[in-house]
Amino acid sequence: MTSHNPTTSFTSHVTTNGYTDPSKASVALDSLESKMEEMKQSNKSNQAIVTEDAVGLLHVQAKNTETKDINICYFSNNAMVVESQTDLNTNCSWSVKISKEAFDKSRLENNGSAFVGVLRFKNIVNKDETNIHTVLNNEVYGITMRAKISNLTENIDMVFSHNDTDGNLSCVSWDGKGRLNWTTFGCKSEINNNSIKCSCSHLTFFAVLMTLNSQTKENTASHLDPELTTTNGYTDPSKASVALDSLESKMEEMKQSNKSNQAIVTEDAVGLLHVQAKNTETKDINICYFSNNAMVVESQTDLNTNCSWSVKISKEAFDKSRLENNGSAFVGVLRFKNIVNKDETNIHTVLNNEVYGITMRAKISNLTENIDMVFSHNDTDGNLSCVSWDGKGRLNWTTFGCRTEINNNSIKCSCSHLTFFAVLMTLNSQTNENTALHLESLTLISSVGCGISTFFMAIALFMHFLLRKATSNQATKILMNMFVALCLLNASFLSNESIANAQDNGACVFIALVLHYSMLASFTWFFIQALHMYLWLIRQNITITNYMRKITVLGWACPAPIVIFIVSAEEYKAVTLNATSGKVIRMCWITNPYIYYIVNIGYYALVFIFTTGIFIMIATRIVEARNIKASEGKRKTFRKQLMMVLGLFLLFGLTWSVAFFSYGPMLIPSYYIFTVLNSFQGFFLFLYYYHIHDDIAGIFSDDPEGIDFNSSVA
């Protein structure tokens, strides 16, 4: 070891045994700048620094003195010295070479004098730190020169000594601001036998991060830092979104440092960054995550089926990234555990509790070469489906843009866009199994019935507007509005699956909105039809100004605020239904079960209560009128009365109430009854309209004062 000049050897008497707050370390380093001015005034060249949290030294090259490189060496006996030799002393526990270029920059900002201050800290950690990495020797070195030192051509060289360690070492720095977030930006690592050399183009806080090797280190060139611990609690979706967005700034840092791969370890996630630099070959890559927390960039073309999760990023996606990043292509992947909404309930299960976020610093959507991901899983008694989340607001999963392919112990997700991905799992129950068995037949009945209903309601509308419009009364006009609503409902239902399969998000939202609006509008016209009968058959002698105009506005405007609210909350999305045959049926509909039950069931429940009451009142009147006529010995047409009761039942939409009995042993029968009655409802209403059109004109006369209820039903 080189002999030391007593005037440059400084021994620390105390070291910190506990943990140092990063903010205290930053303040301590900044405080050296005032001490530098004091040294300049006292004509001292070196001064020892001993604080509660650190030990170090100050060195000054005064004005009009020779500017030269210096070496600062820290020994294991807590002595820090300024050495005169050109090369770094390899016998030091840590040493740094400050280049002449750095001193020249210091002179420019300090009126001709050049300064350097070094502090050695033990155990700098964030207040809520978990063991997500290990700092070599628990040592962090802060260096300042009372000037902005960056983008050096003659780098600052540091050598950290270490014993033989079974781990990966990388030189990192922290800018001294906020939380302790290490980055490899601006530093190159060179590992020798028992030392690591860090060559950095800037000055700040420096350390060496160490992660343990695992047996799955198959490709040392692409094997990145594994995760040491994972978050045991739950990750807020907003934090996950911020974490993925933050990768974009790190991508630029990697581009500047000419690195192709970099490990990412945060409080909530682990992952990696990969860069294909400008003027390099654009090619597909595979990223593999192993169950032992190692993430690897692999060179083979096919996905590695031995991975816990793997993804293949296509050349097309990289080409899009290059277009938006001045010729460079990026990909960043983060793996999160247990991402949930704050008030989440168990409405689904995320496979393995794993969510993967992928970004390429560009808008990646509508790909023809899809992004392929493979999730491994054990045999699970449940339905699996690939889903994504756009990273905005609450965690709302959708199957839009992703296809699901289930194999033995893996599930392949093929998606045309990039964002957050997971696999949703719904546990099988007897109910779900029974429903899945009948899904295809129920869908077929619905499609056939809706097609027939739409055809016949179109005929009724044609007959009304071209043949009978001039003679129509208020009741007929209300019936025609109901037909329009039901036609819109059937047409949107029939086209829904095709639009969902097209995987166009805007079109999917639109058709779901139309389907929901037309359904609520149909409910509203059921209510209006019952209200009209109540006013003209029960109350009678009622005059309402602009009656038709008012009820028309009510019928079409009432559902609008509801669907506007739901579309603004982004709750219209693609839904996947799995049949036992393996067929996947996609629909565009409401994804939030709470909105579905509160809005749809609640809305219809109000309509059901009112229309049922009116139906009972009118049916009672019909029975009473029949008894009166029977006592007078007059014959009545039972068929027309039966048609009247059936028509009222359909007019009031009471067939939808069958859904209330879809529980227990009545589940499957009620599904079939509900599907048949409501799918063919338009057809039944057409028959009602055609057969008793003349009776409607009599019963629902626009002159309530001339109505004799008893004679009307005869």
Side-chain angles (χ1 to χ4, degrees):
M1 186 176 77
T2 305
S3 60
H4 306 144
N5 184 337
T7 62
T8 60
S9 178
F10 308 99
T11 302
S12 71
H13 300 286
V14 294
T15 58
T16 305
N17 295 320
Y19 295 93
T20 303
D21 189 295
S23 61
K24 289 185 178 180
S26 184
V27 170
L29 193 64
D30 291 341
S31 68
L32 294 188
E33 296 191 1
S34 61
K35 291 183 173 62
M36 289 175 181
E37 189 62 29
E38 295 173 4
M39 283 185 65
K40 176 183 174 183
Q41 299 300 327
S42 61
N43 295 320
K44 295 176 64 176
S45 60
N46 299 312
Q47 178 178 323
I49 301 294
V50 179
T51 70
E52 180 184 0
D53 299 303
V55 293
L57 67 79
L58 292 176
H59 172 75
V60 177
Q61 293 182 5
K63 190 186 296 185
N64 301 322
T65 59
E66 179 185 3
T67 304
K68 57 184 179 180
D69 298 345
I70 70 159
N71 296 325
I72 299 174
C73 179
Y74 175 80
F75 293 93
S76 58
N77 61 357
N78 295 323
M80 193 172 285
V81 300
V82 177
E83 297 186 316
S84 58
Q85 72 265 26
T86 305
D87 296 327
L88 288 170
N89 188 342
T90 56
N91 294 317
C92 306
S93 174
W94 172 84
S95 58
V96 60
K97 179 180 179 180
I98 308 294
S99 65
K100 180 178 180 296
E101 179 188 9
F103 277 114
D104 286 337
K105 287 193 173 188
S106 182
R107 286 189 186 277
L108 287 175
E109 294 187 35
N110 289 284
N111 196 27
S113 298
F115 304 87
V116 63
V118 179
L119 286 179
R120 171 184 175 271
F121 300 88
K122 291 286 285 184
N123 301 323
I124 295 182
V125 294
N126 296 314
K127 186 177 180 181
D128 55 348
E129 189 70 50
T130 58
N131 295 325
I132 58 176
H133 56 241
T134 301
V135 175
L136 184 66
N137 303 328
N138 283 326
E139 294 179 332
V140 176
Y141 292 85
I143 307 175
T144 180
M145 297 187 74
R146 203 182 181 190
K148 183 178 180 180
I149 308 297
S150 60
N151 300 319
L152 295 172
T153 57
E154 297 175 32
N155 282 355
I156 305 295
D157 292 331
M158 289 164 280
V159 175
F160 294 77
S161 66
H162 64 87
N163 297 323
D164 291 332
T165 56
D166 182 25
N168 294 319
L169 304 175
S170 57
C171 299
V172 293
S173 66
W174 166 55
D175 61 7
K177 299 175 182 177
R179 290 175 56 83
L180 189 65
N181 293 316
W182 295 112
T183 176
T184 58
F185 172 71
C187 289
K188 293 183 292 188
S189 304
E190 181 181 331
I191 301 175
N192 298 309
N193 295 328
N194 291 326
S195 66
I196 177 171
K197 181 180 178 181
C198 301
S199 184
C200 302
S201 61
H202 62 291
L203 285 183
T204 183
F205 291 84
F206 301 95
V208 173
L209 283 193
M210 178 174 65
T211 56
L212 299 180
N213 279 335
S214 63
Q215 293 180 351
T216 59
K217 185 179 176 183
E218 299 173 0
N219 186 347
T220 55
S222 60
H223 187 110
L224 300 177
D225 296 350
E227 171 193 17
L228 298 181
T229 60
T230 57
T231 305
N232 294 321
Y234 296 93
T235 303
D236 189 288
S238 62
K239 289 185 178 180
S241 184
V242 169
L244 193 65
D245 291 341
S246 69
L247 293 188
E248 297 193 358
S249 61
K250 292 183 173 64
M251 289 175 182
E252 186 63 30
E253 295 173 0
M254 283 187 65
K255 176 184 173 183
Q256 299 298 329
S257 60
N258 295 319
K259 294 181 64 176
S260 59
N261 298 315
Q262 178 179 324
I264 300 296
V265 181
T266 72
E267 182 180 357
D268 300 304
V270 293
L272 66 81
L273 292 176
H274 172 74
V275 177
Q276 294 182 6
K278 190 185 295 187
N279 301 322
T280 59
E281 180 187 0
T282 304
K283 56 185 179 180
D284 298 350
I285 70 159
N286 296 326
I287 298 173
C288 179
Y289 176 78
F290 292 96
S291 57
N292 61 0
N293 299 323
M295 197 170 280
V296 176
V297 178
E298 298 184 316
S299 57
Q300 69 264 27
T301 304
D302 297 327
L303 288 172
N304 188 342
T305 56
N306 295 320
C307 306
S308 173
W309 173 84
S310 57
V311 60
K312 180 179 180 181
I313 308 295
S314 64
K315 180 179 179 294
E316 180 189 3
F318 276 115
D319 286 337
K320 288 193 173 188
S321 181
R322 286 190 187 276
L323 287 175
E324 296 188 34
N325 289 283
N326 195 28
S328 298
F330 304 88
V331 62
V333 179
L334 286 180
R335 171 185 172 269
F336 299 90
K337 292 287 286 184
N338 301 324
I339 296 183
V340 295
N341 295 316
K342 186 177 181 181
D343 55 348
E344 188 72 61
T345 58
N346 295 325
I347 58 176
H348 57 241
T349 300
V350 175
L351 183 66
N352 302 328
N353 283 325
E354 293 179 337
V355 176
Y356 291 86
I358 308 176
T359 180
M360 296 188 75
R361 203 182 181 191
K363 184 178 180 180
I364 308 296
S365 60
N366 299 318
L367 294 172
T368 56
E369 298 177 35
N370 282 357
I371 306 295
D372 292 332
M373 288 164 280
V374 174
F375 296 76
S376 66
H377 66 88
N378 297 324
D379 293 330
T380 55
D381 183 25
N383 294 320
L384 303 175
S385 57
C386 299
V387 292
S388 66
W389 167 55
D390 59 8
K392 299 176 182 178
R394 288 175 56 82
L395 190 65
N396 292 317
W397 296 112
T398 176
T399 58
F400 172 75
C402 289
R403 295 198 303 266
T404 303
E405 181 181 328
I406 301 175
N407 298 311
N408 295 328
N409 289 327
S410 66
I411 178 170
K412 181 179 179 181
C413 302
S414 185
C415 301
S416 61
H417 62 291
L418 283 184
T419 182
F420 291 86
F421 299 96
V423 174
L424 283 195
M425 179 173 62
T426 55
L427 297 180
N428 279 335
S429 63
Q430 191 64 36
T431 297
N432 290 335
E433 291 175 358
N434 290 339
T435 304
L437 284 170
H438 299 273
L439 180 60
E440 289 188 73
S441 58
L442 290 170
T443 303
L444 178 62
I445 293 172
S446 297
S447 299
V448 172
C450 288
I452 294 173
S453 291
T454 303
F455 174 75
F456 281 99
M457 284 190 294
I459 294 177
L461 290 171
F462 173 81
M463 292 172 59
H464 170 73
F465 285 105
L466 294 184
L467 303 178
R468 297 177 174 176
K469 184 176 181 181
T471 60
S472 64
N473 52 36
Q474 292 175 347
T476 307
K477 292 176 182 177
I478 293 173
L479 186 62
M480 290 302 104
N481 276 281
M482 184 189 300
F483 275 19
V484 171
L486 289 172
C487 270
L488 189 60
L489 176 63
N490 290 331
S492 57
F493 174 80
L494 290 172
S495 60
N496 195 300
E497 185 176 358
S498 298
I499 293 175
N501 289 332
Q503 299 185 355
D504 185 325
N505 187 47
C508 189
V509 171
F510 175 76
I511 197 65
L513 182 152
V514 173
L515 179 65
H516 193 210
Y517 172 80
S518 57
M519 187 183 75
L520 296 179
S522 299
F523 291 166
T524 306
W525 282 107
F526 295 154
F527 170 84
I528 290 173
Q529 187 74 61
L531 177 65
H532 179 77
M533 287 190 173
Y534 172 75
L535 293 175
W536 300 114
L537 295 181
I538 307 300
R539 291 292 301 274
Q540 302 185 24
N541 300 324
I542 295 177
T543 302
I544 301 176
T545 306
N546 297 321
Y547 175 70
M548 278 305 303
R549 184 179 300 175
K550 290 178 180 178
I551 62 174
T552 301
V553 171
L554 174 66
W556 294 110
C558 191
I562 298 174
V563 296
I564 291 173
F565 168 76
I566 296 175
V567 76
S568 63
E570 300 181 352
E571 296 292 351
Y572 292 127
K573 296 179 182 178
V575 178
T576 300
L577 304 173
N578 298 310
T580 53
S581 64
K583 181 180 179 181
V584 177
I585 298 174
R586 291 183 175 86
M587 295 291 291
C588 300
W589 190 230
I590 302 169
T591 57
N592 191 315
Y594 298 110
I595 291 179
Y596 172 79
Y597 284 108
I598 293 173
V599 173
N600 294 350
I601 303 301
Y603 196 93
Y604 179 73
L606 296 176
V607 174
F608 173 77
I609 292 171
F610 180 78
T611 54
T612 301
I614 302 302
F615 174 77
I616 293 172
M617 293 173 67
I618 294 176
T620 301
R621 287 291 188 94
I622 291 174
V623 172
E624 291 176 350
R626 184 172 182 272
N627 291 334
I628 293 173
K629 296 298 180 182
S631 63
E632 295 175 355
K634 294 184 179 180
R635 300 176 57 86
K636 298 184 297 292
T637 305
F638 179 75
R639 183 181 62 84
K640 287 189 175 182
Q641 289 193 2
L642 182 63
M643 182 64 72
M644 167 65 79
V645 175
L646 177 61
L648 290 175
F649 192 75
L650 293 170
L651 284 174
F652 293 168
L654 297 178
T655 54
W656 289 77
S657 64
V658 178
F660 291 142
F661 303 99
S662 302
Y663 300 99
M666 284 297 296
L667 178 69
I668 299 304
S670 65
Y671 276 175
Y672 277 97
I673 295 171
F674 175 83
T675 302
V676 171
L677 290 180
N678 287 284
S679 297
F680 289 89
Q681 186 179 40
F683 172 65
F684 296 147
L685 286 174
F686 168 78
L687 295 178
Y688 174 79
Y689 169 77
Y690 180 79
H691 284 290
I692 63 171
H693 177 268
D694 293 336
D695 292 324
I696 291 177
I699 293 173
F700 302 112
S701 172
D702 290 341
D703 180 13
E705 295 181 2
I707 293 178
D708 181 352
F709 189 91
N710 293 335
S711 62
S712 297
V713 296

